Amino acid sequence: MRSQPSVTRRAGGERPWRVRLRDPVTGLLFVLPMLVLFVVFRFLPLAGSVGMSFTDYRINGSWDPVGLDNYQRLLSDPVFLDSLQVTLIYAAIYVPLTVGVALGTALLLNTVVFATGLFRGVLFLPYVTSFVLAGVIWRWVYEFDGLINGLLAKVGFEPIGFLQESSLVLPSLAVVAAWRGFGYSMLILIAGLKSIPDSFLEAARVDGASTWQRFRFVVLPHLRPVLFFVLVIETIAAFQVFDTIYVMTGGGPVRASYSLVYALFDQGFEFFDFGYAATIGIALFVIILVISLIQRKLLDRETT
């Protein structure tokens, strides 16, 4: 004889509130470990940095409240303003370069029908290389007696100071970061391309659409959400650049590569001005948030 279900439904088929609560509680239990990690290692440090930015925090743990003094100092600090300008210029070079290379390689690999795993693995390999190791390798490539200048000397050209000239140091660093980091965005864009139904592209081909028209009117609209995500993560990476600069230039020449994170590092770990360093970190967070919102607004406008 069949056993009766242990949970009875109320009139109208409505389940008891304990049963309705079971699913969200179960889901919460599954995400709880990651939620705890996020709160402990992300939210609490952010909250602590906000509080520290309103203090004169010293290395011995003592502190004095200073109100908005750190923020007023920030707005009038020429070092901070110069580092902000350097970071904006670097991001303007790095983000289009990295996204363009990632999109181009993703489109190319999407058409490859043989050894696709091998090609993806080779192109993704630089991403698993540390920024420090990449910086050491590329510093040798850029040196006066390095690889590039050695090849230029063989054809009669004078050596170029890639890391010694203020006008060349940021593009040179952006190339290193793009070489190291484009593989991650490439895989994301490939996944986005694979989600586009083949029937859409085939219909456009039958209608006589050219390769550019198929990309412009079929591929790009479907790829826009993925492209927005790639733009955001690469913009964040550009504004957080530090390792490559620390290894290759040390912020030089003449602070031509002195980024916001490098300024934060100097204030916190060279001058031990932790309150002001926290203020720079909060300013960096706000700048990234505003730029991400602007990017989303522009992409939504293009969509409509």
Side-chain angles (χ1 to χ4, degrees):
M1 187 174 179
R2 242 176 165 181
S3 61
Q4 295 294 327
S6 57
V7 178
T8 60
R9 291 181 177 269
R10 295 182 178 181
E14 183 182 357
R15 295 184 301 170
W17 66 271
R18 292 186 180 87
V19 178
R20 297 198 305 271
L21 189 63
R22 184 183 305 164
D23 292 341
V25 169
T26 303
L28 181 62
L29 290 176
F30 277 107
V31 301
L32 187 60
M34 185 55 66
L35 185 62
V36 171
L37 290 175
F38 175 81
V39 171
V40 173
F41 293 103
R42 294 287 185 176
F43 182 78
L44 290 181
L46 177 60
S49 298
V50 173
M52 189 181 294
S53 68
F54 295 101
T55 67
D56 178 17
Y57 195 93
R58 292 175 286 274
I59 192 171
N60 60 2
S62 62
W63 56 273
D64 296 316
V66 296
L68 297 175
D69 288 354
N70 285 327
Y71 290 93
Q72 292 174 351
R73 173 186 170 188
L74 191 75
L75 297 176
S76 59
D77 185 2
V79 175
F80 168 77
L81 297 177
D82 289 343
S83 64
L84 175 60
Q85 181 181 359
V86 167
T87 306
L88 289 172
I89 295 173
Y90 174 83
I93 300 171
Y94 168 80
V95 174
L97 177 63
T98 305
V99 175
V101 172
L103 181 59
T105 52
L107 291 170
L108 182 62
L109 290 179
N110 195 46
T111 62
V112 174
V113 295
F114 63 94
T116 56
L118 175 63
F119 289 124
R120 293 178 188 176
V122 170
L123 292 173
F124 185 76
L125 188 61
Y127 184 78
V128 301
T129 305
S130 70
F131 275 113
V132 174
L133 180 58
V136 171
I137 295 172
W138 278 88
R139 186 174 60 183
W140 168 76
V141 172
Y142 282 143
E143 285 178 349
F144 282 110
D145 56 349
L147 178 62
I148 296 179
N149 282 317
L151 295 175
L152 292 176
K154 291 182 181 296
V155 294
F157 288 95
E158 293 293 326
I160 300 174
F162 293 100
L163 303 179
Q164 291 75 29
E165 297 185 18
S166 299
S167 59
L168 296 178
V169 64
L170 288 180
S172 301
L173 292 171
V175 168
V176 176
W179 169 82
R180 190 260 176 195
F182 83 95
Y184 180 74
S185 296
M186 177 196 70
L187 291 184
I188 295 175
L189 290 169
I190 289 176
L193 290 171
K194 293 297 183 183
S195 66
I196 301 175
D198 293 335
S199 59
F200 290 2
L201 295 171
E202 186 62 30
R205 190 179 293 108
V206 170
D207 289 340
S210 63
T211 303
W212 166 249
Q213 289 173 330
R214 292 197 298 271
F215 172 77
R216 172 67 180 84
F217 297 105
V218 179
V219 175
L220 195 57
H222 287 85
L223 206 60
R224 186 168 284 114
V226 180
L227 198 58
F228 166 71
F229 175 75
V230 169
L231 282 171
V232 170
I233 63 173
E234 295 299 350
T235 301
I236 294 173
F239 275 83
Q240 292 180 341
V241 60
F242 172 76
D243 308 69
T244 308
I245 295 176
Y246 183 80
V247 173
M248 298 183 68
T249 67
V254 199
R255 288 186 173 172
S257 60
Y258 196 74
S259 66
L260 280 173
V261 178
Y262 208 104
L264 188 156
F265 169 80
D266 268 356
Q267 293 296 329
F269 298 99
E270 293 291 336
F271 308 125
F272 302 111
D273 194 349
F274 296 109
Y276 188 55
T279 306
I280 296 177
I282 298 303
L284 179 61
F285 170 79
V286 172
I287 291 170
I288 293 175
L289 177 62
V290 170
I291 292 178
S292 300
L293 293 175
I294 292 174
Q295 289 175 330
R296 177 167 185 174
K297 188 69 175 178
L298 291 176
L299 287 175
D300 287 345
R301 181 181 302 173
E302 291 181 6
T303 304
T304 56

